[in-house]
Amino acid sequence: PGSIESLIGFMEHPNHKPEIVKNSGGFSYVASGYGAAAPRVEANPESSFRTAYSAMMSGNTGTEFYKNPHFNLYQDLFSQGIFCGKGIIRIPLYRELIANRFSDDPILSHDLPEGEILRCANLSDIVFFDEIPETVLADEKRSHRWIRGDFQNARFLSRKQTASNLFRFKIVHNLLRALSSLSCFLLFVCTIFWGPKSFFLGLFWVSFPLLLRIPSFLSSVFGKKRRFHPFREFFDAIFETILNFLLLPTRAINGLDGAIRGIFRSIRGKKKLEWTTAAASAKNGKEIGDYFYQLRWQLFGFLLVFFPQTALMGALWIIAPVIAFHVSSSYRKDSVDPEELKEDIFPMWQY
């Protein structure tokens, strides 16, 4: 509540009035002030508990204003964030700077160039809610669309009329992140040739996000005050790491396929806007056979079971579709334990 009013108030502040300049190519962009603002996007609490997968990926949901605002790399270092398609824009400015600039150039992931031209602010103390994928298959399709869009945007690296050094850095960062699963996958496969060193390096890579959560987990457990359930959040992070490892072949090929399609479609100029809505993706994958078919790259594990050093890893990759099916279809009950609720409410009033 009040998020819309806060966004409007930010945009109407005199210090945030946009200043438009032209670059050497004669194209206009916002050099100071802001033409757009994006809030922090959190998982919708209602969709976060529809399946075990959505609950695991969303973590602690809801708004807890004691932890606002959040650190944002680009906003804190460059006073400019990334527009995620949700937030507020100055409509007249949008029409002036963007409406006709890409009229003959379809862009799948248009948020990034829009935020660059309008100069978008990231407001981490304002929260919007968004639906989170309920199944593994829906999440993989969304990731594939994002990767295609990122690689289609790679053409802006050589376009002086729309690209700044910061914009180029954001694009390169997205491209490297899209191929991180492929790199990690190759490290595990190279265990056949390089031995345990390659395996442990890949294990460190895939578990690095979990390692970053250990300090906050320890401070929450041994600290004087606890504002959330640290054990549940940390165990969700462990399960997320395990699932990322189990689905590594699919996510590696998914990233590679998205990159190749994005590049070729950008060159050919066809099917650049092809994508499946989240609602349509959620309807697919109701049977376990769908998971074995759409996660068929997991069968790459059959090639690894013949090598002693990778046999267990290959077997885990083979059975991953079964695990993905169960975490995507095990709907949780919408029930609340009154005693547990009382345990949470009493410390709140006491504080």
Side-chain angles (χ1 to χ4, degrees):
S3 296
I4 301 297
E5 291 82 355
S6 298
L7 287 173
I8 296 175
F10 174 86
M11 297 296 284
E12 292 300 320
H13 195 283
N15 290 343
H16 302 152
K17 183 178 180 180
E19 179 183 351
I20 303 174
V21 298
K22 290 186 178 181
N23 61 11
S24 58
F27 292 89
S28 301
Y29 66 96
V30 177
S32 62
Y34 299 102
R40 188 175 85 249
V41 179
E42 297 281 358
N44 187 343
E46 183 178 354
S47 65
S48 299
F49 294 95
R50 291 174 181 167
T51 66
Y53 181 74
S54 62
M56 176 180 63
M57 298 301 293
S58 61
N60 287 314
T61 58
T63 56
E64 193 222 328
F65 295 100
Y66 294 105
K67 66 180 182 180
N68 296 337
H70 280 199
F71 169 78
N72 182 272
L73 176 65
Y74 294 114
Q75 183 66 39
D76 292 344
L77 295 183
F78 305 103
S79 299
Q80 179 181 348
I82 296 179
F83 188 57
C84 60
K86 298 173 178 63
I88 187 172
I89 61 173
R90 300 182 189 271
I91 297 178
L93 190 63
Y94 183 92
R95 291 174 176 172
E96 177 184 352
L97 301 182
I98 297 178
N100 297 323
R101 182 174 296 188
F102 305 115
S103 57
D104 298 326
D105 190 9
I107 301 176
L108 180 59
S109 295
H110 52 85
D111 305 338
L112 190 59
E114 288 173 348
E116 173 66 18
I117 297 172
L118 295 176
R119 197 167 187 268
C120 177
N122 182 275
L123 309 179
S124 60
D125 56 342
I126 302 176
V127 180
F128 273 17
F129 290 116
D130 192 15
E131 297 291 319
I132 192 169
E134 301 176 15
T135 67
V136 171
L137 298 184
D139 197 11
E140 292 303 313
K141 289 182 179 179
R142 185 180 69 165
S143 176
H144 187 270
R145 172 169 58 88
W146 285 351
I147 294 173
R148 283 194 289 117
D150 289 335
F151 275 86
Q152 288 180 18
N153 284 341
R155 65 189 188 275
F156 289 120
L157 291 172
S158 61
R159 289 192 174 187
K160 296 182 179 180
Q161 65 267 31
T162 56
S164 64
N165 290 332
L166 179 59
F167 185 31
R168 293 188 182 96
F169 180 83
K170 292 177 181 178
I171 293 175
V172 172
H173 176 255
N174 288 345
L175 300 183
L176 293 177
R177 182 176 56 188
L179 297 177
S180 62
S181 294
L182 177 62
S183 302
C184 188
F185 170 73
L186 293 177
L187 277 176
F188 280 114
V189 173
C190 286
T191 303
I192 300 174
F193 311 104
W194 298 343
K197 292 182 179 180
S198 180
F199 174 81
F200 285 111
L201 183 59
L203 189 63
F204 173 78
W205 191 328
V206 77
S207 60
F208 185 71
L210 175 64
L211 298 178
L212 294 178
R213 299 192 185 189
I214 293 179
S216 61
F217 169 72
L218 295 178
S219 63
S220 300
V221 172
F222 298 104
K224 294 182 179 180
K225 292 186 179 297
R226 187 184 304 173
R227 295 196 298 268
F228 58 92
H229 300 286
F231 288 98
R232 182 204 147 190
E233 185 178 68
F234 190 68
F235 285 133
D236 283 346
I238 293 176
F239 293 139
E240 181 181 348
T241 301
I242 294 174
L243 195 60
N244 287 336
F245 168 75
L246 293 176
L247 297 175
L248 199 54
T250 294
R251 292 181 172 173
I253 302 301
N254 192 46
L256 180 62
D257 181 79
I260 295 175
R261 289 178 188 266
I263 294 173
F264 275 90
R265 290 181 182 182
S266 183
I267 296 174
R268 297 180 59 191
K270 297 180 180 180
K271 297 183 178 181
K272 295 171 68 174
L273 300 181
E274 183 182 48
W275 65 289
T276 305
T277 63
S281 299
K283 294 180 181 179
N284 298 327
K286 299 297 184 182
E287 303 295 335
I288 192 171
D290 298 329
Y291 281 78
F292 274 102
Y293 173 72
Q294 297 194 41
L295 304 179
R296 53 190 176 275
W297 289 106
Q298 297 294 136
L299 299 180
F300 182 85
F302 278 112
L303 299 179
L304 302 183
V305 296
F306 296 103
F307 300 90
Q309 60 269 43
T310 58
L312 178 60
M313 181 169 59
L316 292 175
W317 283 353
I318 293 172
I319 65 173
V322 179
I323 300 175
F325 170 74
H326 284 290
V327 299
S328 300
S329 58
S330 55
Y331 283 74
R332 296 187 172 190
K333 296 181 180 179
D334 296 326
S335 59
V336 178
D337 185 0
E339 297 301 323
E340 182 179 352
L341 194 59
K342 291 178 182 178
E343 292 179 1
D344 292 335
I345 293 176
F346 180 73
M348 292 180 187
W349 282 103
Q350 191 179 40
Y351 180 79

